Amino acid sequence: MFEFHNISTKSNEYIDTKEKYKQELEKFKDYAQYLTDKAGKANKSSQKASSYMRSLVRLIIGYEVKFKDSISTLNNFDTYKKLMKITEIEGFKEFNGNTNHFYSATLGCLLSYITYLNSENEEKVDIELNSQNQYSGKSKLISFEDTDLKNVKRKEKRSIQNTYFYPRNYHESVKAKKKSGWVCEFDNSHKTFINESDKMPHVEAHHLIPMAAQGLYENSIDFSGNIISLCPTCHRRIHHSIDEDKKQMLKYFYEKRRNIYKSMDIDISLKELYKMYGILK
Ligand SMILES: [Zn+2]
Ligand SMILES: [Zn+2]
């Protein structure tokens, strides 16, 4: 069932597959290198990034053979979901354990990578959402409707100058801030300031499951339960701090929100959340 593990890097199918996704695999490897470097043990990381790449090639071959389907690009969540089907095959857990958990680690790295690819654009919309005021021009990317219902399908991406973004619902971010009592949810003693646009304490809306990962879900993740209110420092911290700090924040918020995700039919584990923030371990 897991014969792909034994495919030689000198075999034709390996060489052909590697050639087909050459540029995408190189970028994946560079990103894996960056993640493993920042996770520490730098001396071992370069070999590790190459191993992730080889495992990914084998997973692609394994998927295409087993499911008689083909993969067109590595760069989207549909591909990730396809490859994840391998983890549902009976016996995968044991096989993965016998191979040092390298295949699950490779898939985790792919989840980090695809989220990262989407984050550059999606974080621009997040900034736009947080700087809305009554004089902001009508943005194509900010909508004003009520969606905090179960099973709301994700919105289509909207294009601006040939770049595609998921829209945000302004009301959901305000709802989240109201629920937080307009204080930093990580530590309510954090000092902020009065915002000129609404005369309320300035807190920033942050999607705990990042909108960059919206493509992984059929349902919308742009609802108030997925939005946390943070003071500006904590907001930068959850985006830019070292892995250890980020993990502390993510674990704290995941525990607070996991039941909401359950009730909204959003399937997410803490491990997956870490991956979305570029944390491998
Ligand atoms: Zn944010
Ligand atoms: Zn704070």
Side-chain angles (χ1 to χ4, degrees):
M1 200 67 86
F2 302 104
E3 295 87 359
F4 60 82
H5 177 60
N6 299 316
I7 295 168
S8 159
T9 54
K10 296 188 176 65
S11 68
N12 285 337
E13 56 183 343
Y14 184 95
I15 293 167
D16 290 349
T17 306
K18 199 179 163 191
E19 192 54 36
K20 183 177 170 194
Y21 304 103
K22 197 172 183 198
Q23 284 172 341
E24 295 180 351
L25 283 168
E26 277 305 316
K27 283 188 187 151
F28 169 76
K29 192 179 128 188
D30 287 349
Y31 189 70
Q33 174 88 57
Y34 162 71
L35 292 186
T36 45
D37 278 351
K38 110 180 143 68
K41 294 194 185 124
N43 54 335
K44 283 201 170 163
S45 64
S46 97
Q47 295 164 23
K48 225 176 180 179
S50 303
S51 313
Y52 282 138
M53 192 191 72
R54 286 194 295 273
S55 297
L56 185 55
V57 173
R58 291 191 172 107
L59 282 166
I60 294 167
I61 298 170
Y63 172 82
E64 293 189 334
V65 171
K66 163 87 186 158
F67 295 95
K68 300 187 175 54
D69 184 22
S70 70
I71 278 169
S72 54
T73 166
L74 302 185
N75 296 352
N76 67 41
F77 285 111
D78 289 338
T79 297
Y80 172 74
K81 283 193 265 188
K82 284 182 176 182
L83 295 180
M84 281 298 284
K85 282 190 184 171
I86 293 175
T87 68
E88 288 158 17
I89 299 173
E90 211 187 308
F92 175 80
K93 228 177 170 179
E94 201 190 348
F95 158 74
N96 189 47
N98 292 337
T99 48
N100 281 322
H101 299 96
F102 225 88
Y103 289 101
S104 58
T106 299
L107 288 163
C109 196
L110 184 64
L111 175 59
S112 289
Y113 177 63
I114 299 169
T115 309
Y116 158 77
L117 290 177
N118 285 283
S119 65
E120 195 187 345
N121 290 333
E122 291 304 329
E123 284 176 16
K124 282 182 195 156
V125 192
D126 289 332
I127 291 169
E128 198 174 320
L129 175 69
N130 275 309
S131 58
Q132 278 287 308
N133 65 43
Q134 64 264 48
Y135 296 112
S136 304
K138 273 231 156 101
S139 165
K140 233 179 147 178
L141 297 174
I142 310 290
S143 70
F144 295 84
E145 16 174 320
D146 281 314
T147 56
D148 207 358
L149 303 162
K150 213 174 160 182
N151 288 321
V152 172
K153 294 282 164 255
R154 72 169 180 234
K155 291 258 160 61
E156 290 293 318
K157 281 187 175 181
R158 296 177 189 173
S159 84
I160 289 185
Q161 291 167 347
N162 289 321
T163 310
Y164 288 81
F165 307 87
Y166 284 110
R168 304 287 185 280
N169 189 333
Y170 181 70
H171 290 328
E172 293 304 312
S173 71
V174 174
K175 242 188 254 175
K177 289 176 188 180
K178 267 189 193 150
K179 277 190 217 164
S180 79
W182 305 87
V183 293
C184 175
E185 279 187 71
F186 191 55
D187 183 336
N188 61 17
S189 74
H190 285 173
K191 286 265 174 294
T192 171
F193 53 89
I194 300 298
N195 191 309
E196 64 178 354
S197 75
D198 52 14
K199 307 288 186 289
M200 296 303 283
H202 177 88
V203 278
E204 297 177 358
H206 174 80
H207 289 74
L208 185 59
I209 302 178
M211 287 302 288
Q214 173 67 84
L216 187 58
Y217 300 96
E218 301 300 324
N219 286 347
S220 172
I221 56 168
D222 185 33
F223 57 89
S224 64
N226 185 37
I227 298 173
I228 53 176
S229 301
L230 295 172
C231 73
T233 303
C234 287
H235 193 192
R236 288 305 94 201
R237 187 173 168 190
I238 207 166
H239 281 277
H240 301 300
S241 64
I242 53 172
D243 285 0
E244 223 179 317
D245 262 16
K246 263 187 216 171
K247 277 171 89 166
Q248 187 200 2
M249 293 182 89
L250 293 173
K251 190 166 191 293
Y252 174 76
F253 286 118
Y254 178 78
E255 294 302 334
K256 279 178 83 172
R257 300 299 169 99
R258 61 189 301 175
N259 287 331
I260 296 178
Y261 292 132
K262 231 181 227 158
S263 72
M264 296 291 280
D265 281 338
I266 299 287
D267 190 21
I268 175 106
S269 68
L270 181 58
K271 269 190 176 168
E272 283 170 312
L273 190 63
Y274 285 163
K275 301 293 182 292
M276 291 169 184
Y277 284 76
I279 300 164
L280 290 186
K281 272 192 183 176

